[in-house]
Amino acid sequence: MDNIFIFPIGILTLFIGSNLILHKYEFYKKISLSKRNITSLFISIISFILISNIFKNILSIFESSLLKKGVFTSIVFFILILICIYIGYLFSQILNNNYEYKDELHKISNKIEHKDNIIGKLRSQKHDYLKHLQVVYSLLNNNLSNDAKDYITNISNSFRSKTSRYGKVSYLDAIASLKYEECLMKNITFDVYIQDFIDNLVIEPSEMSSVLLNIIDNAIDSLSTINKDNKYIKLYVYEDEFQYVISIKNNGPKIHNTESIFEEGFSTKDGDNRGYGLYLVKDILDKYDYHIFASSDEFLTEFTILIPKYC
């Protein structure tokens, strides 16, 4: 106890411990940081002095018996080690929770920024539409109805030609555009390769969109957790003699137990309310007798959807 290092180390340990204990109470959380620190420091000093005196008094009682003194010292030393380990564990847990909280805030910030970009594009489109309406109004106001009709026809044809780069399934354009912007912000390359696509799918567009978005979002989440150069997601659509094939590939971390990932509640990530995205994907595809398979290794993860041409 005479060691000059015991006092500051003891005070620090008690200071951290008292903060952790008192932080569980609402009254302590409501006071300012400086008052909390002063309160914890005061408690730590008083506690250290009391414990030191009690320890010294007990040692003086066992002064005549070296064996009892040694056993008591060993027990106290062991208890102090356990207390320090527990306090260190709690402190480490708080630091980890703080890191996860900051990481979640960063993800939310990215999503907000992404939505702001989309809102900006919508405002730009609204601005263009208003200009077109002003032109049409001006033509009609000058009794140039035929010119107004021609103008509207030209605008309509222009929009129709831009409906989709991928056949009549315009939702592929929307998905490609949204995910390209999101991946760009997260340093992920997102590419779409369409050899062909079915214009008369039996599956509802909303359900097919849900299937693709769930798989792509999972790929984005897994790639966001690793530090790696040239991260990518690739969407391929092609056909063979008997079926159409949709393949979604990414170079994220390996998925173990690929045979279980479509089960309800199964997830490779921690947290509540997880493990339902791929279950929903499988449920939708099963309804139309479509098939999905997953494969994964250290270099590539691939989800393959098979859509029969002939049922």
Side-chain angles (χ1 to χ4, degrees):
M1 296 298 293
D2 295 331
N3 195 313
I4 59 171
F5 295 108
I6 295 295
F7 182 76
I9 292 174
I11 294 297
L12 176 62
T13 304
L14 290 170
F15 179 78
I16 295 172
S18 61
N19 255 305
L20 292 173
I21 294 169
L22 291 172
H23 200 73
K24 297 178 181 179
Y25 300 97
E26 286 299 322
F27 79 91
Y28 187 73
K29 294 179 183 178
K30 291 178 180 178
I31 63 178
S32 65
L33 179 61
S34 58
K35 288 182 180 179
R36 273 184 279 173
N37 287 333
I38 292 171
T39 303
S40 295
L41 182 61
F42 178 76
I43 292 173
S44 302
I45 293 171
I46 297 299
S47 300
F48 184 82
I49 293 171
L50 287 174
I51 292 170
S52 298
N53 287 329
I54 292 170
F55 183 76
K56 286 179 180 179
N57 290 332
I58 294 175
L59 282 181
S60 64
I61 294 172
F62 294 136
E63 194 69 37
S64 58
S65 174
L66 292 176
L67 178 61
K68 290 181 179 179
K69 184 177 180 181
V71 170
F72 173 73
T73 305
S74 299
I75 292 172
V76 171
F77 181 72
F78 182 71
I79 292 172
L80 288 175
I81 288 177
L82 290 178
I83 292 172
C84 289
I85 291 173
Y86 180 67
I87 290 173
Y89 169 76
L90 291 179
F91 189 67
S92 175
Q93 196 174 42
I94 289 173
L95 290 177
N96 184 63
N97 291 340
N98 186 52
Y99 171 78
E100 289 180 354
Y101 176 70
K102 286 182 178 179
D103 186 55
E104 192 65 28
L105 282 178
H106 180 68
K107 289 179 181 178
I108 293 171
S109 177
N110 283 339
K111 288 181 180 179
I112 292 172
E113 185 179 348
H114 173 57
K115 289 178 180 178
D116 286 342
N117 289 336
I118 295 173
I119 291 170
K121 289 183 179 180
L122 291 174
R123 284 175 177 167
S124 176
Q125 290 179 356
K126 178 184 176 182
H127 183 68
D128 288 339
Y129 295 152
L130 287 174
K131 282 186 176 180
H132 292 310
L133 287 174
Q134 288 171 355
V135 172
V136 171
Y137 176 79
S138 178
L139 290 170
L140 292 173
N141 200 40
N142 289 293
N143 296 320
L144 299 172
S145 56
N146 288 332
D147 290 343
K149 288 179 182 178
D150 291 339
Y151 186 84
I152 293 170
T153 301
N154 289 333
I155 295 298
S156 177
N157 290 336
S158 174
F159 288 155
R160 189 177 294 114
S161 67
K162 295 177 182 177
T163 299
S164 178
R165 293 167 286 176
Y166 315 120
K168 297 175 184 176
V169 279
S170 57
Y171 56 82
L172 266 182
D173 261 333
I175 291 171
S177 177
L178 285 172
K179 294 306 161 186
Y180 175 81
E181 293 288 341
E182 184 175 351
C183 287
L184 190 64
M185 291 188 295
K186 298 182 178 181
N187 296 317
I188 301 171
T189 302
F190 183 74
D191 294 316
V192 181
Y193 303 93
I194 307 294
Q195 175 187 327
D196 201 354
F197 206 85
I198 324 92
D199 289 340
N200 56 345
L201 278 178
V202 177
I203 188 171
E204 291 292 328
S206 60
E207 291 182 307
M208 195 62 193
S209 295
S210 180
V211 166
L212 297 176
L213 285 171
N214 269 298
I215 297 174
I216 294 169
D217 284 342
N218 271 12
I220 292 172
D221 285 344
S222 64
L223 285 167
S224 298
T225 63
I226 59 173
N227 290 321
K228 183 177 184 178
D229 294 329
N230 303 318
K231 295 188 286 188
Y232 65 78
I233 299 171
K234 299 182 187 296
L235 170 63
Y236 295 89
V237 182
Y238 56 94
E239 64 175 318
D240 59 26
E241 186 177 354
F242 302 104
Q243 61 197 356
Y244 296 97
V245 181
I246 301 174
S247 171
I248 302 171
K249 303 179 181 181
N250 73 82
N251 62 339
K254 179 180 179 179
I255 298 176
H256 301 279
N257 302 321
T258 51
E259 67 279 359
S260 304
I261 58 176
F262 298 106
E263 295 176 2
E264 184 176 8
F266 182 89
S267 177
T268 59
K269 295 167 283 190
D270 296 327
D272 298 328
N273 300 319
R274 293 191 180 277
Y276 296 97
L278 293 178
Y279 170 75
L280 175 65
V281 165
K282 185 74 163 55
D283 189 54
I284 292 172
L285 295 175
D286 283 348
K287 186 166 62 174
Y288 295 95
D289 290 327
Y290 298 165
H291 307 286
I292 183 167
F293 306 94
S295 61
S296 184
D297 57 32
E298 288 78 8
F299 306 102
L300 185 71
T301 295
E302 179 177 10
F303 289 86
T304 305
I305 301 169
L306 303 179
I307 303 174
K309 286 184 177 180
Y310 314 105
C311 298

